[in-house]
Amino acid sequence: MGDIEHMPSEEKVRVLASALEQIADAVIITDRQGVIGYVNESFESLTGYSRKEVIGKKPNMLKSGRHGTEFYKELWGNVHAGKPFRAVFVNRKKDGKLYYESKTITPVKSRGHEVTHIVATGRDITERVQMERRLRKQAYTDSLTGLGNRSSFWEAVQRVLDCPRTSNAAAVLYVDLDGFKAVNDTFGHAWGDKLLIAVGERLASLVRRHDVVARLGGDEFAILAMGSDAGDYVEGLAERLLEALEAPFDVAGVDTYLSASVGVAVIPEGVLEPESVVRRADIAMYRAKRSKATYCVYEEGMQRAVADAFNLKNDIRHALDEQQLYLVYQPQVAATTGEIRGVEALLRWEHPKIGDIPPSKFIPVLEELGLIHKVGRWVLKEAAAQLRAWQDEGIDVPRVAVNVSPVQLERAAFTEELLETLAGADVAPSSVEIELVETTLLADIDAMGDRLFEISERGVSIALDDFGTGFSALNHLHRFPVNVVKIDRTFVAGLGSAREDARIIEAIVRVAGDLGVETIGEGVETQLQLDRLVELGCKYIHGYLVAYPAKAEGIAGQIGDDRGVWKTVLESEGRGVMQLRVGTER
């Protein structure tokens, strides 16, 4: 074939016409007003319309209704200005099916630069668009529940942030299922997956049509509530969510019960990142999780508290290795003679920047991080070694009491590790007492009972701390091998002013005496409290009236010359009255 430009006009027209007929793109040629004068075979194949059906008509016969007036306004503006227009069209075939067409519309100009005709070429991209949509759906859909996933939720929040907040107020609810891991552990992951699907369906049924529900992963879901009333709407929604999730789920014909913790965060002005918004709701959710089956609304200051907790977790990992943790000791003495019963070892943390951090703040963190076992072993080893050192020096400290976390007791090897530590320090098991909070017994009565009997049979004494505040109280005392109950300081503080506190202490002392269990009054700070405890039959006490907790080196100086009695003065009645406190460390 020669150069088309140099062909005779008739042959050139024939070649170009043949090319138009054979190219894969659909071609439409119209006059300036858009009346169709020509279509090729590809157009017929794509649309289902024959030439006879379209010649003399306009391309708007293909309209799907998916494009607005602005779209067509831009199209004709370009054409009349002599400029090409390129876009993806959603058109409709003769049989009514929609198709996607990548189309270029080009104006044809005369030598005088007037638009005389319009040529539109288009390629069917329906399969490509559908594939992209399927891929996008897969990328933005949670494969298990069919809800949106984390990515789609982030995008939904971003769209809210990109809009003027006055016209598009919104809030995020972060939903975390309580105890879901136990479901997986008990029934298996397949069961758990069915439960998550049911949860997703229930959440979706509670929201409005324009709200967004997503599964962020695991047992965590999120809801984006939108609208001018979002701030007022979400708290009511949170309450409905909690109520709905407490209703049983039918999984394989078995009623399964759940609860959830919900964090709520109204999206404030000035926030630019979706992560910041969701983080606020997440923080509020963790605050709600402290109580479980409730919701919490984010407030300023929570972020700082979370940051502090994070820093605390990081710092406490190094505290033991860097010798920031140490022990102090507080004596337990006979209420009438001052005879030393023993000392209680108390864990302290001196943070290099913050200073002393109370155990109530860092012990739960140790438990959460799983470090309580390591620290607990260290405490026991230190206390046993110190008891051995006192005894070697001739300082008569009969026993040392060590607080033990319920998490430590759950460890199967706890008893053997305890005995190995005592043997390593050359300390008799009878010289050591482990203290448990009373509510420990309620976690798993049978399992705890077995563990405590195992410990008791090896000769180690068992004390219940803060006694009287838990649900078990005196009802379960006879079921466990308890040697000592420490009457909670709240009851001791009320002596002299609250009759009920005296009655409770009297009941504890009486029942404990019947069972051969010793009683220690905690937190004794005044002579009046001491007198009343003696009257009520409490045998031992400890508290600031006797001494503040002190480091090991301070204990020897606080023991009397006979090496077995705390410093006392005697009244004419012969009853010991505690002398002034010697120790100064709290």
Side-chain angles (χ1 to χ4, degrees):
M1 180 183 290
D3 187 352
I4 293 178
E5 288 297 324
H6 296 91
M7 287 182 179
S9 297
E10 290 184 4
E11 187 177 357
K12 181 189 294 187
V13 170
R14 182 182 61 79
V15 171
L16 293 176
S18 176
L20 285 175
E21 287 298 318
Q22 294 182 50
I23 62 173
D25 290 356
V27 178
I28 306 173
I29 301 177
T30 74
D31 62 16
R32 178 182 172 83
Q33 285 71 41
V35 177
I36 298 173
Y38 170 83
V39 294
N40 66 354
E41 288 184 5
S42 295
F43 172 88
E44 291 180 301
S45 299
L46 175 61
T47 66
Y49 287 104
S50 67
R51 285 188 173 91
K52 291 182 179 180
E53 292 175 299
V54 299
I55 298 296
K57 297 181 181 179
K58 292 187 175 183
N60 59 11
M61 63 187 298
L62 302 174
K63 276 188 175 181
S64 64
R66 296 293 183 90
H67 301 289
T69 55
E70 289 297 320
F71 179 85
Y72 293 104
K73 183 178 180 180
E74 182 183 358
L75 185 162
W76 287 109
N78 276 34
V79 170
H80 290 152
K83 300 176 183 178
F85 178 79
R86 296 179 179 86
V88 174
F89 284 71
V90 183
N91 286 334
R92 193 177 299 276
K93 298 182 180 183
K94 180 179 179 179
D95 62 6
K97 293 181 179 179
L98 296 179
Y99 67 98
Y100 292 84
E101 187 178 11
S102 178
K103 187 183 286 292
T104 300
I105 299 175
T106 306
V108 178
K109 302 176 186 177
S110 66
R111 291 183 178 180
H113 301 289
E114 293 289 329
V115 175
T116 60
H117 292 81
I118 301 168
V119 178
T121 59
R123 179 168 297 179
D124 185 7
I125 60 169
T126 303
E127 287 188 6
R128 191 186 83 189
V129 170
Q130 291 175 341
M131 176 62 73
E132 288 174 351
R133 286 188 169 182
R134 285 195 295 270
L135 291 175
R136 180 178 176 81
K137 184 177 181 181
Q138 291 174 5
Y140 285 87
T141 302
D142 177 56
S143 59
L144 177 64
T145 64
L147 299 172
N149 62 10
R150 182 180 293 271
S151 297
S152 68
F153 191 77
W154 251 240
E155 283 201 3
V157 175
Q158 186 64 66
R159 286 194 296 271
V160 171
L161 298 178
D162 291 340
C163 294
R165 200 59 43 79
T166 53
S167 61
N168 197 12
V172 171
L173 295 91
Y174 202 112
V175 183
D176 183 86
L177 304 181
D178 297 329
F180 180 75
K181 183 179 182 298
V183 175
N184 273 341
D185 292 345
T186 304
F187 300 106
H189 288 278
W191 187 293
D193 287 348
K194 291 178 182 179
L195 187 56
L196 289 173
I197 293 170
V199 168
E201 292 172 349
R202 192 169 293 183
L203 292 178
S205 71
L206 295 171
V207 302
R208 301 174 297 190
R209 182 181 56 82
H210 56 272
D211 293 337
V212 177
V213 183
R215 178 180 175 230
L216 302 183
D219 60 350
E220 296 178 339
F221 296 80
I223 297 171
L224 176 62
M226 296 179 285
S228 58
D229 64 339
D232 299 326
Y233 166 70
V234 288
E235 290 199 46
L237 175 59
E239 292 177 351
R240 291 193 297 277
L241 290 177
L242 294 173
E243 183 178 356
L245 293 177
E246 286 179 351
F249 290 87
D250 184 351
V251 180
V254 177
D255 282 347
T256 304
Y257 291 86
L258 283 176
S259 64
S261 299
V262 179
V264 177
V266 176
I267 301 179
E269 292 283 356
V271 175
L272 301 177
E273 300 294 334
E275 291 86 352
S276 298
V277 175
V278 178
R279 179 61 176 157
R280 290 169 179 245
D282 188 20
I283 289 170
M285 182 275 293
Y286 273 102
R287 181 65 62 89
K289 216 164 184 64
R290 293 179 182 179
S291 302
K292 296 191 183 296
T294 187
Y295 75 91
C296 178
V297 180
Y298 178 84
E299 296 176 355
E300 293 301 328
M302 288 185 181
Q303 178 73 50
R304 180 68 260 170
V306 170
D308 290 344
F310 177 81
N311 292 332
L312 193 69
K313 289 179 181 179
N314 278 343
D315 292 346
I316 205 167
R317 293 181 185 276
H318 308 292
L320 183 59
D321 295 335
E322 296 177 3
Q323 297 183 333
Q324 296 170 14
L325 298 179
Y326 64 96
L327 295 182
V328 293
Y329 301 87
Q330 190 169 27
Q332 303 167 344
V333 303
T336 56
T337 66
E339 180 184 356
I340 299 174
R341 180 186 180 275
V343 295
E344 179 181 1
L346 301 169
L347 182 62
R348 295 291 186 263
W349 179 16
E350 185 177 3
H351 192 283
K353 295 181 179 179
I354 302 173
D356 285 333
I357 298 176
S360 59
K361 190 172 183 179
F362 70 80
I363 293 295
V365 177
L366 289 172
E367 292 176 342
E368 180 183 348
L369 296 176
L371 296 175
I372 192 66
H373 302 293
K374 177 181 179 181
V375 174
R377 288 194 296 271
W378 176 84
V379 169
L380 186 62
K381 182 177 180 181
E382 284 289 302
Q386 184 57 58
L387 181 63
R388 178 73 270 160
W390 280 326
Q391 292 175 347
D392 289 345
E393 293 171 18
I395 301 172
D396 189 8
V397 178
R399 66 172 58 82
V400 63
V402 177
N403 290 278
V404 173
S405 162
V407 179
Q408 291 176 261
L409 275 184
E410 292 172 359
R411 186 179 174 91
F414 175 79
T415 305
E416 292 306 317
E417 290 176 354
L418 168 64
L419 295 174
E420 288 176 6
T421 300
L422 300 184
D426 192 22
V427 168
S430 58
S431 298
V432 175
E433 190 166 82
I434 64 169
E435 291 192 8
L436 316 170
V437 292
E438 181 192 355
T439 50
T440 300
L441 305 182
L442 301 179
D444 187 335
I445 290 178
D446 292 333
M448 285 299 174
D450 291 342
R451 183 61 46 78
L452 294 181
F453 274 107
E454 179 181 73
I455 294 169
S456 179
E457 288 170 356
R458 304 296 185 92
V460 178
S461 178
I462 297 171
L464 288 188
D465 202 5
D466 301 334
F467 192 80
T469 59
F471 295 105
S472 60
L474 299 171
N475 295 328
H476 293 128
L477 190 57
H478 67 283
R479 299 185 58 179
F480 300 95
V482 176
N483 305 98
V484 183
V485 292
K486 300 180 69 179
I487 302 168
D488 187 75
R489 65 185 62 246
T490 57
F491 302 124
V492 174
L495 289 175
S497 59
R499 292 183 178 179
E500 285 302 316
D501 290 338
R503 290 173 181 169
I504 291 172
I505 292 175
E506 185 178 20
I508 292 173
V509 171
R510 183 177 65 253
V511 174
D514 291 343
L515 296 173
V517 174
E518 294 180 344
T519 53
I520 300 176
E522 293 189 280
V524 180
E525 297 186 5
T526 70
Q527 189 66 44
L528 174 61
Q529 293 168 358
L530 171 60
D531 292 340
R532 292 292 288 126
L533 284 170
V534 171
E535 291 172 6
L536 294 170
C538 182
K539 187 174 181 181
Y540 297 101
I541 64 167
H542 76 150
Y544 294 165
L545 182 67
V546 181
Y548 290 126
K551 291 184 177 179
E553 54 268 24
I555 292 295
Q558 298 183 59
I559 298 178
D561 294 336
D562 59 3
R563 315 298 280 170
V565 179
W566 205 257
K567 291 180 179 178
T568 64
V569 293
L570 299 179
E571 290 184 334
S572 59
E573 293 84 358
R575 179 166 53 83
V577 179
M578 295 303 143
Q579 182 70 287
L580 242 131
R581 298 183 291 267
V582 177
T584 58
E585 293 196 40
R586 291 178 182 267

